[in-house]
Amino acid sequence: MPNKRTDSISWDEYFMGVAVLSSMRSKDPNTQVGACIVSQDKKIIGVGYNGFPIGCSDDDLPWDRDGDWYDTKYPYVCHAELNAILNANNPTLLKGATLYVALFPCNECAKAVIQAGIKKVIYLSDKYKDTAGTKASKRMFDTAGVEYKQLESSGKVLTLELKV
């Protein structure tokens, strides 16, 4: 009888792979972020990516990053974390869940993560770590007892092009 494989990916790599794959649905020309929420028993309960709200056309609203705030993407885009929370197939399972996300959550998403009862955040990139928003996120997570850590990957799964 052959021995089982010993080079399979970890659970963290698997769920982060789902988050990265979800990011590929984003229409944002600059930043694609995906998120995957997993229950305590390792079941996917919600996925999301950054994009406009349901019913808001990807063609009618702006994707610009610069200019008058009203004419940029920022007042319209729902972040991946919020979409994953709103898409949860059983919101009661969010309590104690783990969020896998390509980019460390902004302060607005951190509030939603805390309110949903998510207790752990695993992320790939922390490219905005020096901004006030990310510092506020970490402060809130620390205060609320939400653990966060950057994924240390073996490099097996995260070969998909990530644009954050």
Side-chain angles (χ1 to χ4, degrees), residues 30 62-74:
N30 298 296
W63 286 109
D64 296 310
R65 295 168 59 161
D66 301 312
D68 180 12
W69 181 77
Y70 177 80
D71 293 322
T72 67
K73 66 182 178 177
Y74 299 111

Side-chain angles (χ1 to χ4, degrees), residues 87-117:
N87 290 335
N89 57 28
N90 185 344
T92 61
L93 294 176
L94 291 171
K95 299 217 178 316
T98 299
L99 168 70
Y100 292 83
V101 63
L103 185 61
F104 194 89
C106 73
N107 61 298
E108 292 299 321
C109 287
K111 295 175 201 176
V113 166
I114 293 165
Q115 289 296 92

Side-chain angles (χ1 to χ4, degrees), residues 27-29 51-65 69-78:
K27 307 296 189 308
D28 190 318
F52 296 140
I54 294 170
C56 293
S57 171
D58 294 332
D59 298 319
D60 295 338
L61 293 175
W63 286 109
D64 296 310
R65 295 168 59 161
W69 181 77
Y70 177 80
D71 293 322
T72 67
K73 66 182 178 177
Y74 299 111
Y76 310 106
V77 168
C78 290

Side-chain angles (χ1 to χ4, degrees), residues 112-133:
V113 166
I114 293 165
Q115 289 296 92
I118 294 168
K119 286 297 179 187
K120 189 172 188 180
V121 174
I122 299 176
Y123 61 94
L124 282 180
S125 174
D126 196 8
K127 78 175 188 175
Y128 298 113
K129 67 180 176 226
D130 295 324
T131 66

Side-chain angles (χ1 to χ4, degrees), residues 17 20-21 24 157-162:
V20 171
L21 186 62
M24 294 179 172
V157 69
L158 302 175
T159 56
L160 299 171
E161 182 181 339
L162 179 63

Side-chain angles (χ1 to χ4, degrees), residues 30-47:
N30 298 296
T31 305
Q32 296 89 49
V33 179
C36 177
I37 304 173
V38 179
S39 67
Q40 294 179 55
D41 61 348
K42 305 218 181 300
K43 304 267 190 304
I44 295 173
I45 54 176
V47 294

